[in-house]
C-alpha cells in the first residue's frame, strides 16, 4: 500500500491526428504515472471523453479501469482586461 493519499489526475489531454502513431500518448501516460509516483499519489485518475476510443484503448493497456461514466460540461467566462 502507498503512503500517500492524494489522487493525481489527467484531464482531457490529447495528441493531434498528425502526430498519432508516434507513441506520444503512451509516453505522456507513462510520464504522468511516474510523476504521480514521485508525488506519492495513491492513484491516478484519468478523465476522457467516452467517444474517444483511441484514448480509452490506451488507458486500458495501462490497466486503468472505469470508475465512473458521466457527461462532461464545458464552461467559459470572459475575462475583463
Amino acid at each position: 500500500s502507498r503512503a500517500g493519499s492524494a489522487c493525481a489526475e489527467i484531464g482531457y489531454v490529447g495528441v493531434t491526428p498528425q502526430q498519432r502513431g508516434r507513441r506520444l500518448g503512451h509516453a505522456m501516460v507513462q510520464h504522468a504515472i511516474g510523476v504521480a509516483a514521485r508525488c506519492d499519489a495513491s492513484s491516478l485518475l484519468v478523465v476522457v471523453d467516452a467517444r474517444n476510443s483511441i484514448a480509452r484503448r490506451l488507458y486500458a493497456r495501462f490497466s486503468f479501469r472505469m470508475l465512473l461514466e458521466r457527461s462532461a460540461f464545458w464552461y467559459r467566462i470572459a475575462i475583463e482586461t
Side-chain angles (χ1 to χ4, degrees):
S1 93
R2 297 196 54 81
S5 61
C7 177
E9 182 175 327
I10 301 172
Y12 291 99
V13 297
V15 176
T16 63
Q18 300 86 345
Q19 298 300 318
R20 289 188 186 141
R22 300 180 57 205
R23 299 183 53 83
L24 297 174
H26 183 274
M28 287 191 293
V29 174
Q30 200 165 34
H31 179 75
I33 291 169
V35 169
R38 286 191 298 280
C39 292
D40 204 28
S42 61
S43 61
L44 178 59
L45 176 69
V46 173
V47 180
V48 63
D49 189 296
R51 298 168 294 182
N52 191 339
S53 60
I54 295 170
R56 292 174 66 197
R57 281 193 304 272
L58 171 66
Y59 299 134
R61 284 194 293 272
F62 277 95
S63 299
F64 282 87
R65 290 182 302 256
M66 188 183 342
L67 176 66
L68 177 66
E69 185 175 346
R70 63 180 176 187
S71 298
F73 298 92
W74 293 75
Y75 293 89
R76 178 172 64 183
I77 187 171
I79 304 298
E80 303 293 327
T81 56

